[in-house]
Amino acid sequence: MAEVQDVIIVGGGPAGLTAAIYAGRANLSPTVFEGFAAGGQLVLTTDVENYPGFPEGIQGPELMQMFRSQAERFGATVIVEDVTRVDLSERPFRVWVDQEEHRGNSVIISTGAAARWLGLPSEQRLRGFGVSTCATCDGFFFKDRAMVVVGGGDSAMEEALFLSRMASHVTIVHRRNELRASAIMADRALANEKIDVRWNAVVEEVLGDEVVTGVRVRDVVTGELEDIPSAAVFVAIGHDPITGLFRGQVELDDAGYVVTDGTRTSVEGVFASGDVQDTVYRQAVTAAGSGCMAAMDAERWLEDQAANRASADRALAAQKDG
Ligand code: NAP
């Protein structure tokens, strides 16, 4: 049977790896399952400009490599595998990677969030053939061509700005007449001469047989349809928490986020940090902060458990003596 570890961390983005740094420094030798999406969403970003301590900005993958090295330096074991099943119904908690079982006295859930899709059949059919959620990964393939970005938040602005460096033109398709993005990102995008916005429009269909040739949008005010020629469509309409593994095991809200009080979940000994439980801030720095909190909460909880066990043992011994 697998040895029981103190802390198992599921997810290796800023939250999970920060939890690992803190748990490692508390001598808890954490195991982190960082999964195949190692590094989380930051590895899909180019310049991270708002992580404190890097006044010139830093590349997302480089920042995550630094997190990982720091966690390993303090004794964390980082496993590049996806957890496939968990059982949080009794302690020690159990976590599986396929048939391989791991047992932990505490678990920190830091599985983050994943990009949302529009949900159109044409979008799914042309995924990888011009439809993408990652400009950094795929933008280069459409160099000097027209591209479309869907969405009105910071992600959409970031994608559009990144793509403007290589595209002949970028059209942002947004369903309202006002952007959700922060002022600084919106201003940058709107001031860019290669970027324009198709306001009040939703994508009805991604056009193209084998590769994307454009999008058909519907004006939500007039109902009119319009085809926008484009070699690629980048969908940047937000994210959903990755909590499929934990459904029925810890309390989730209607949108699928783990419900937390601080970092405590509905199951004693199970903590959650980062985007998987954050419906408001969803920043790398806030994820890292909550990873630190989860590790400290887990450490205190484990200490309390040990203290309770010791006092129960003492009471039992006293009873026997008496
Ligand atoms: P978001 O802020 O939730 O924005 C999602 C956008 O997509 C909204 O404009 C929304 O429209 C639109 N949308 C949602 N569902 C749609 C649908 N089915 N069809 C068409 N449009 C749809 O998500 P985000 O942009 O990914 O940002 C998430 C968080 O990360 C935010 O806190 C953001 O500040 C942060 N972030 C920061 C940076 C940075 O600072 N560099 C970069 C990226 C993200 P409505 O506006 O009408 O709701």
Side-chain angles (χ1 to χ4, degrees):
M1 197 173 279
E3 189 187 326
V4 180
Q5 299 165 63
D6 279 323
V7 185
I8 290 180
I9 299 168
V10 188
L17 291 172
T18 303
I21 293 168
Y22 275 76
R25 288 176 58 81
N27 274 340
L28 295 172
S29 310
T31 297
V32 186
F33 292 95
E34 68 175 356
F36 298 122
Q41 292 173 65
L42 274 198
V43 300
L44 305 177
T45 326
T46 41
D47 301 335
V48 180
E49 291 186 337
N50 52 10
Y51 200 86
F54 299 94
E56 307 302 326
I58 182 164
Q59 300 286 303
E62 191 185 344
L63 180 60
M64 291 325 298
Q65 184 50 49
M66 290 161 83
F67 272 59
R68 190 178 299 115
S69 306
Q70 199 170 348
E72 285 173 337
R73 182 180 151 210
F74 296 115
T77 303
V78 181
I79 297 179
V80 189
E81 263 176 304
D82 275 326
V83 168
T84 49
R85 187 159 63 97
V86 299
D87 182 353
L88 307 178
S89 63
E90 56 181 5
R91 299 202 291 265
F93 303 116
R94 292 186 295 165
V95 166
W96 285 268
V97 173
D98 297 322
Q99 300 306 315
E100 191 183 293
E101 183 185 310
H102 298 260
R103 299 191 301 157
N105 286 321
S106 69
V107 168
I108 297 175
I109 301 173
S110 309
T111 40
R116 200 177 282 157
W117 294 94
L118 292 166
L120 302 167
S122 53
E123 168 196 58
Q124 294 310 309
R125 183 169 54 78
L126 290 165
R127 248 174 97 168
F129 299 96
V131 176
S132 168
T133 55
C134 179
T136 323
C137 318
D138 300 325
F140 184 76
F141 299 124
F142 309 99
K143 205 169 177 312
D144 297 326
R145 320 264 312 266
M147 309 186 197
V148 160
V149 173
V150 187
D154 278 339
S155 296
M157 301 308 113
E158 194 175 59
E159 301 278 79
L161 284 161
F162 175 79
L163 292 170
S164 71
R165 297 184 213 153
M166 61 197 82
S168 59
H169 185 79
V170 179
T171 306
I172 296 172
V173 175
H174 182 40
R175 63 184 177 182
R176 293 188 293 140
N177 62 359
E178 199 185 334
L179 294 172
R180 177 176 297 277
S182 57
I184 187 167
M185 298 289 281
D187 289 350
R188 257 189 231 168
L190 296 174
N192 187 306
E193 56 186 19
K194 276 197 186 171
I195 300 176
D196 70 32
V197 185
R198 179 65 173 86
W199 301 101
N200 295 316
V202 290
V203 175
E204 288 267 302
E205 193 182 341
V206 180
L207 305 172
D209 291 331
E210 284 169 10
V211 293
V212 170
T213 57
V215 290
R216 179 161 300 154
V217 299
R218 179 172 51 82
D219 188 300
V220 293
V221 179
T222 64
E224 268 172 37
L225 295 178
E226 181 194 341
D227 289 353
I228 303 173
S230 171
V233 183
F234 291 90
V235 180
I237 59 169
H239 296 82
D240 289 314
I242 303 171
T243 47
L245 270 179
F246 306 102
R247 196 163 289 284
Q249 307 247 5
V250 296
E251 188 184 348
L252 306 180
D253 71 9
D254 291 344
Y257 288 86
V258 178
V259 175
T260 47
D261 174 9
T263 69
R264 280 173 289 279
T265 70
S266 58
V267 176
E268 215 190 305
V270 178
F271 304 84
S273 60
D275 286 10
V276 75
Q277 51 86 57
D278 178 2
T279 57
V280 182
Y281 303 104
R282 294 178 288 189
Q283 303 299 302
V285 66
T286 52
S290 79
C292 157
M293 289 158 61
M296 292 176 77
D297 288 342
E299 182 195 352
R300 282 178 194 153
W301 183 81
L302 288 164
E303 260 172 24
D304 287 349
Q305 293 296 109
N308 291 346
R309 264 197 310 275
S311 84
D313 288 349
R314 274 196 304 276
L316 198 69
Q319 221 173 32
K320 274 188 192 153
D321 290 347

